[in-house]
Amino acid sequence: MILIISGTNRPKSKTLKIAQYYQKQLQKSGESCQILSLTDLPADIIVSDLYGQRSAEFQKIQQLVSDADKFIFVTPEYNGSIPGVLKIFIDACSFPISFYHKKAALVGISSGRYGNLRGIDHLTGICNYLRMHVLPLKIFLPQIQNEINEENNFIHDETIRAIDEQIDELIHF
């Protein structure tokens, strides 16, 4: 199963819309996939689920993560990197069963001109530390507000082709 992580807890985010687009495309390919939006994390995760503690609420999330064999991390740029909530989520997951030797595709988005390039570099380092296998083809979506329409579909053929290529490579990865 491929788990698509919408890497922010911001309500109604463009990140979640991109994750939903990936889900739709994967389902068209016949792939089993689910979305985990970080809006679903326990509000008190830094108290309830770090340092060996596990809440019943997070246990359901942990099971999703443990069951996944591949991940797509869709992450916006927050202050030149990934959102803190994404790092907290990763830290809360059980080590090593959550990510060890699993595969990941990375997608960076931003309203600026670099598509979260630095954040994806940081996330690549984290994934490498967790001994994940990171797909070399990473997608950077700058000026995301100009990339999707009101139906949350991409409007530029070049972007669609790049995403399709990444999805195909992840399926065969």
Side-chain angles (χ1 to χ4, degrees):
M1 189 262 296
I2 299 172
L3 186 59
I4 306 163
I5 308 291
S6 176
T8 181
N9 59 344
R10 177 179 286 181
K12 301 178 184 174
S13 69
K14 288 183 175 60
T15 304
L16 181 57
K17 293 173 183 173
I18 303 308
Q20 290 166 338
Y21 179 86
Y22 269 80
Q23 181 182 40
K24 183 174 65 173
Q25 296 307 107
L26 283 162
Q27 288 171 339
K28 284 181 185 177
S29 297
E31 294 297 313
S32 172
C33 63
Q34 278 189 264
I35 292 176
L36 172 60
S37 173
L38 297 189
T39 59
D40 296 333
L41 293 177
D44 63 346
I45 190 170
I46 62 172
V47 175
S48 65
D49 290 285
L50 294 177
Y51 313 116
Q53 299 187 67
R54 182 64 69 226
S55 66
E57 190 178 4
F58 193 84
Q59 183 55 43
K60 296 172 194 166
I61 294 169
Q62 179 61 61
Q63 193 62 53
L64 268 178
V65 172
S66 296
D67 290 346
D69 57 349
K70 295 178 183 179
F71 296 88
I72 299 174
F73 289 92
V74 182
T75 180
E77 180 179 346
Y78 279 24
N79 298 314
S81 189
I82 61 173
V85 71
L86 177 55
K87 181 64 166 75
I88 289 169
F89 160 73
I90 292 169
D91 291 345
C93 289
S94 296
F95 182 83
I97 65 166
S98 296
F99 303 109
Y100 211 69
H101 291 293
K102 295 184 179 181
K103 297 172 179 173
L106 307 181
V107 182
I109 71 169
S110 71
S111 58
R113 46 193 279 199
Y114 299 111
N116 198 14
L117 180 66
R118 277 185 277 178
I120 293 300
D121 281 347
H122 294 163
L123 185 55
T124 299
I126 293 166
C127 290
N128 289 163
Y129 180 83
L130 296 171
R131 295 191 185 176
M132 294 184 84
H133 305 283
V134 178
L135 185 71
L137 177 57
K138 299 168 188 171
I139 300 294
F140 303 98
L141 300 169
Q143 299 177 338
I144 192 64
Q145 66 277 8
N146 299 327
E147 285 285 346
I148 56 176
N149 62 21
E150 292 171 7
E151 291 81 36
N152 300 324
N153 290 312
F154 285 93
I155 56 177
H156 299 109
D157 290 339
E158 181 179 321
T159 303
I160 294 167
R161 281 192 301 275
I163 291 171
D164 287 347
E165 182 179 1
Q166 185 189 42
I167 289 171
D168 186 59
E169 286 192 19
L170 181 64
I171 290 169
H172 296 96
F173 188 36

